[in-house]
Amino acid sequence: MQARTARIWSVIHTWTSLISTVFLLLLCLTGLPLIFHHEIDDALGYSPQADVRPAGAAKLSLDEISRAALADHPGNVMLYMGWDKDEPWMVSTFTNKTVTSDPQTTVVKALDAYTAKPVGLLGTGPMLVMLRLHTDMYLGLPGKWFMGLMGFVFMIAIVSGVVLYWPFTRRLDFAAIRRKKSRRVWWLDWHNLLGVVTVVWALVVGGTGVLNAYAELLLGVWQRNELTAIAAPYAGQPTPTTLASLDTVLGNAMKATPGMEPAFIAFPGTPFTSTHHFAVFLRGDTPLTSRLVKPVLLDGETGAVSSTSDLPVCLKAVLVSQPLHFGDYGGMPLKIIWALLTVFTIIVLGSGLYLYIARRRKQRRPARVTPDAAGIAQVSR
């Protein structure tokens, strides 16, 4: 019975690994530079740089910054306005032809909060290429869902590998590498060792990757439930054409959530709010609460607070998992650890593919027949 169970788990491990290997290699190879995307952007000159300003200068109003963002793109509308907690002098703006236009045509700018001068275009450079390959392979939402599926298959491969590890290595010392055996056995020992070393990390990164891949689905559930209930009194009404002052909107939102700072503002009609409301998302000031946001919905025409509520647990999990996926919680030491574990995972994936090919070749190779064996076979006929 145990032998049969082991064979079943072996089949599961073999095929889930084979199905996901190519895509997991792509994720690892693109994810490795993304761990250091801030540092790479800085080195290549793609990071926004603070503008020179006179001493004692005051920040401009949000409405002035909004007008500056739209000045070079007549006919566009604002979608989002956001703030980086590490760059308080900078405001990020997102504009497009309409709130329902193709997201790939969105213009993302970084503006100086004191002068409203552009200090760089966000989402450009080689790291953007790596990010698109990593998240959706330039296939949009279907690509994200497919990569999420591959991440789920990879997690099954990890679990099945853990189940198989003990039966296949119980007679060996932990971390034993049989150097005097064949090359295939040598690679098998390294495959098992690095697989065990990275198992917890791989489950964490794989799980967070799957969660992020289906973030749009979770956001859709929140829209259909909570946002629909909040926007019910405005059902049938058109999107406001005259919007409240952004400074009024942000001021009212911060009064409703004391002790928090703004993360971003979503304009009416965007996916993070209803067609009639601004949504101001605010965050805390600790390493954990700075990753979690609290939405405040405000009337698009008056700026009055309509609702304050917490995000559902599933969306909170997405927000917490995003920096964990790339090791952004612990500074450079954690990034280096994440990078080393990624390299180990690449070796595990490559060695697993080699072991499968080597085993198939061995199975197809005809058995050698010695003269003695041939004679015995002749006598036995």
Side-chain angles (χ1 to χ4, degrees):
M1 186 66 181
Q2 290 182 349
R4 181 183 178 185
T5 302
R7 282 196 298 271
I8 293 173
W9 278 111
S10 180
V11 170
I12 293 173
H13 183 69
T14 297
W15 287 104
T16 53
S17 299
L18 287 174
I19 290 170
S20 62
T21 288
V22 174
F23 301 101
L24 262 297
L25 281 172
L26 173 64
L27 289 174
C28 288
L29 292 172
T30 56
L32 188 57
L34 286 172
I35 295 172
F36 304 102
H37 68 280
H38 290 300
E39 292 77 12
I40 294 174
D41 281 341
D42 287 342
L44 298 179
Y46 287 100
S47 295
Q49 301 297 322
D51 194 17
V52 177
R53 68 181 71 92
K59 289 183 178 181
L60 298 176
S61 70
L62 299 185
D63 294 306
E64 290 176 295
I65 293 174
S66 175
R67 287 192 291 269
L70 294 169
D72 296 333
H73 304 278
N76 273 20
V77 297
M78 289 291 298
L79 304 180
Y80 306 100
M81 182 178 287
W83 293 264
D84 189 324
K85 63 183 179 64
D86 297 322
E87 307 286 355
W89 56 269
M90 184 181 75
V91 180
S92 302
T93 60
F94 300 71
T95 67
N96 210 332
K97 291 297 183 183
T98 67
V99 294
T100 57
S101 296
D102 182 359
Q104 301 305 323
T105 63
T106 299
V107 179
V108 187
K109 284 185 178 180
L111 303 178
D112 191 299
Y114 294 86
T115 64
K117 292 181 180 180
V119 292
L121 287 174
L122 301 178
T124 58
M127 287 301 97
L128 176 62
V129 176
M130 290 295 172
L131 183 62
R132 289 295 308 277
L133 288 172
H134 189 82
T135 55
D136 62 11
M137 299 183 297
Y138 283 88
L139 296 176
L141 197 57
K144 283 187 179 181
W145 292 354
F146 177 78
M147 295 303 267
L149 177 61
M150 290 300 100
F152 181 72
V153 173
F154 176 57
M155 293 177 69
I156 297 176
I158 295 171
V159 172
S160 58
V162 172
V163 173
L164 291 170
Y165 179 78
W166 168 246
F168 281 110
T169 61
R170 64 183 183 273
R171 296 186 181 89
L172 300 173
D173 294 332
F174 178 75
I177 303 296
R178 292 169 286 179
R179 295 179 177 84
K180 295 183 179 180
K181 295 289 185 178
S182 66
R183 179 185 299 178
R184 189 176 71 86
V185 172
W186 186 82
W187 273 113
L188 176 63
D189 290 341
W190 274 111
H191 180 82
N192 290 334
L193 174 59
L194 293 179
V196 168
V197 169
T198 60
V199 62
V200 175
W201 174 85
L203 284 172
V204 169
V205 173
T208 54
V210 171
L211 196 59
N212 286 314
Y214 295 103
E216 281 87 349
L217 287 177
L218 301 176
L219 180 62
V221 173
W222 179 64
Q223 288 176 309
R224 287 191 298 271
N225 295 333
E226 295 188 32
L227 279 184
T228 300
I230 294 170
Y234 303 92
Q237 295 186 20
T239 302
T241 55
T242 303
L243 297 176
S245 165
L246 293 176
D247 296 282
T248 300
V249 168
L250 182 58
N252 289 342
M254 295 187 71
K255 289 178 184 177
T257 56
M260 304 188 78
E261 59 183 29
F264 69 95
I265 298 175
F267 283 65
T270 55
F272 286 89
T273 185
S274 74
T275 57
H276 194 84
H277 292 86
F278 283 101
V280 179
F281 290 79
L282 300 107
R283 60 188 167 216
D285 56 2
T286 68
L288 178 60
T289 59
S290 66
R291 305 292 182 177
L292 298 172
V293 293
K294 183 180 183 68
V296 178
L297 268 67
L298 305 100
D299 189 285
E301 293 180 328
T302 67
V305 175
S306 296
S307 171
T308 60
S309 61
D310 287 326
L311 288 175
V313 174
C314 58
L315 287 181
K316 286 183 178 180
V318 170
L319 293 172
V320 172
S321 70
Q322 286 174 344
L324 184 62
H325 187 70
F326 291 110
D328 279 349
Y329 273 119
M332 186 55 67
L334 186 61
K335 288 185 177 184
I336 293 173
I337 293 173
W338 245 236
L340 289 174
L341 291 170
T342 302
V343 172
F344 290 164
T345 302
I346 292 173
I347 296 173
V348 171
L349 293 170
S351 61
L353 188 59
Y354 163 76
L355 290 169
Y356 174 77
I357 294 173
R359 187 177 66 180
R360 294 288 294 177
R361 286 178 177 175
K362 184 178 180 181
Q363 291 173 346
R364 291 173 182 174
R365 189 179 303 144
R368 293 183 179 179
V369 180
T370 64
D372 291 341
I376 294 172
Q378 185 70 27
V379 172
S380 63
R381 288 179 179 175

